[in-house]
Amino acid sequence: MSQPAQHHAVFGHPVAHSLSPAIHAAFGRQLGIAVDYVAIDATPDTFETALARFAGAGGSGANVTLPLKEAAFALANTCSERARRAGAVNTLVRQGETWFGDNTDGAGLVRDLTGRHGLDLRGRRTLLIGAGGAARGVAPLLLDAGVSDLFVVNRTPERTDALADALGEPDRVHPRYLDVIGELGEFELIVNATSAARSGAIPALPRSLVGMRTAAVDLSYGEASVPFLAWARAHGARDTIDGLGMLVEQAAESFALWHGVRPDTDPVFAALQARNVALVTAD
Ligand code: NDP
């Protein structure tokens, strides 16, 4: 007997330009699995209703992107340990009449940095800029990957404190105000997890953060990653990495949760990277 059709979606706002439908379609083609995956625009006000409608129409799993990851955590009936530590959910799996929430962002980032880019994260003094859904997703996995100290700064200090509290490792996790960033010294890993470039400008960052060993990582990709990575390169960062590889890796983790098999991410990454370069260098 053939498997019943599965329906998947990504919820976010804005979401029309999400690459996730194309990535999941490519995984499905690679593995001979029929994929029905659409983008659904929902704001924090409309998300709960939109998700219930999706479940009612047979939705079997969903990705959740900005600005809904914390709302998805609140809506999930049960969740994984890594989602609980993040306080944010980017992957929902329908289980009977309930939603199971997971967070694949951190595993996706670590896999991209260590596997694709060959970085050893152990012992790195690390700065995480941002405390939104993506920052929450990656922070626990950076700690698990062995970074030495994790400093967190964010425009809204209450969110910095909430993230540090959720991580529960006061000896390694240090919340700091954004306006004292110039006093924090040099970092071997700097992760920009803000969406600031989407609204025009990244926060002002001092060059003292960057040293010869620094890897600078922007979780965004395409044009949104250009200002931060250009800043890092100009100040001598050794590695500058955008979020495209993480995007493909977190998608593969979600795909595996839903379909029980992990796709080969390299060909999909290569195809997207070619597109991404065209996107950034286009007039
Ligand atoms: P959220 O909306 O949850 O959080 C946004 C974050 O950006 C907050 O920390 C917010 O600070 C900060 N921010 C926004 N505007 C500014 C500004 N002008 N100056 C300083 N800080 C600002 O979004 P997400 O965390 O979900 O996403 C963040 C980024 O990560 C996005 O660019 C997204 O595309 C990318 N991402 C990439 C993924 C990948 O797979 N590559 C996966 C997930 C996200 P405040 O709290 O003060 O509002």
Side-chain angles (χ1 to χ4, degrees):
M1 213 168 76
S2 64
Q3 294 287 320
Q6 292 196 41
H7 305 291
H8 296 101
V10 55
F11 290 82
H13 182 74
V15 79
H17 295 101
S18 169
L19 294 174
S20 293
I23 293 172
H24 282 268
F27 290 161
R29 280 195 300 278
Q30 183 192 102
L31 292 164
I33 294 172
V35 165
D36 168 19
Y37 185 115
V38 296
I40 299 177
D41 199 290
T43 66
D45 289 340
T46 63
F47 178 46
E48 186 169 2
T49 309
L51 187 65
R53 195 180 306 129
F54 176 67
S60 37
N63 283 133
V64 179
T65 186
L66 106 177
L68 304 174
K69 290 178 183 175
E70 287 153 89
F73 175 69
L75 281 173
N77 305 85
T78 54
C79 67
S80 66
E81 167 70 9
R82 59 190 180 181
R84 192 189 56 69
R85 283 169 75 203
V89 156
N90 82 330
T91 307
L92 289 162
V93 184
R94 193 73 178 155
Q95 294 182 334
E97 293 300 306
T98 64
W99 287 111
F100 169 75
D102 197 0
N103 195 313
T104 65
D105 280 340
L109 175 67
V110 169
R111 195 167 176 125
D112 182 57
L113 297 184
T114 57
R116 181 165 291 113
H117 296 284
L119 296 187
D120 186 350
L121 301 181
R122 288 172 300 176
R124 288 197 186 226
R125 189 170 187 264
T126 298
L127 174 65
L128 177 62
I129 309 168
R136 282 178 161 271
V138 303
L141 276 287
L142 288 173
L143 291 170
D144 289 353
V147 303
S148 59
D149 288 278
L150 183 67
F151 287 75
V152 185
V153 296
N154 188 51
R155 180 179 60 179
T156 307
E158 292 77 15
R159 289 180 101 186
T160 315
D161 293 338
L163 171 53
D165 286 349
L167 291 168
E169 291 194 48
D171 292 345
R172 285 169 81 198
V173 178
H174 315 289
R176 293 288 185 269
Y177 289 117
L178 189 53
D179 55 11
V180 299
I181 198 168
E183 299 162 21
L184 300 183
E186 197 174 295
F187 290 92
E188 291 149 322
L189 176 64
I190 306 175
V191 178
N192 177 28
T194 75
S195 56
R198 290 175 179 234
S199 53
I202 56 168
L205 301 173
R207 63 182 310 155
S208 57
L209 300 174
V210 182
M212 274 162 40
R213 282 201 62 215
T214 303
V217 179
D218 198 317
L219 301 193
S220 63
Y221 45 85
E223 296 203 13
S225 65
V226 171
F228 172 72
L229 295 182
W231 168 84
R233 216 170 280 126
H235 296 311
R238 186 160 72 187
D239 304 283
T240 52
I241 298 168
D242 74 11
L244 195 66
M246 169 185 169
L247 180 76
V248 179
E249 297 303 330
Q250 61 79 28
E253 294 271 318
S254 298
F255 191 96
L257 277 171
W258 296 329
H259 301 286
V261 50
R262 199 177 201 283
D264 177 4
T265 51
D266 285 345
V268 179
F269 174 73
L272 283 174
Q273 200 183 30
R275 235 170 99 179
N276 196 27
V277 169
L279 205 90
V280 174
T281 56
D283 288 339

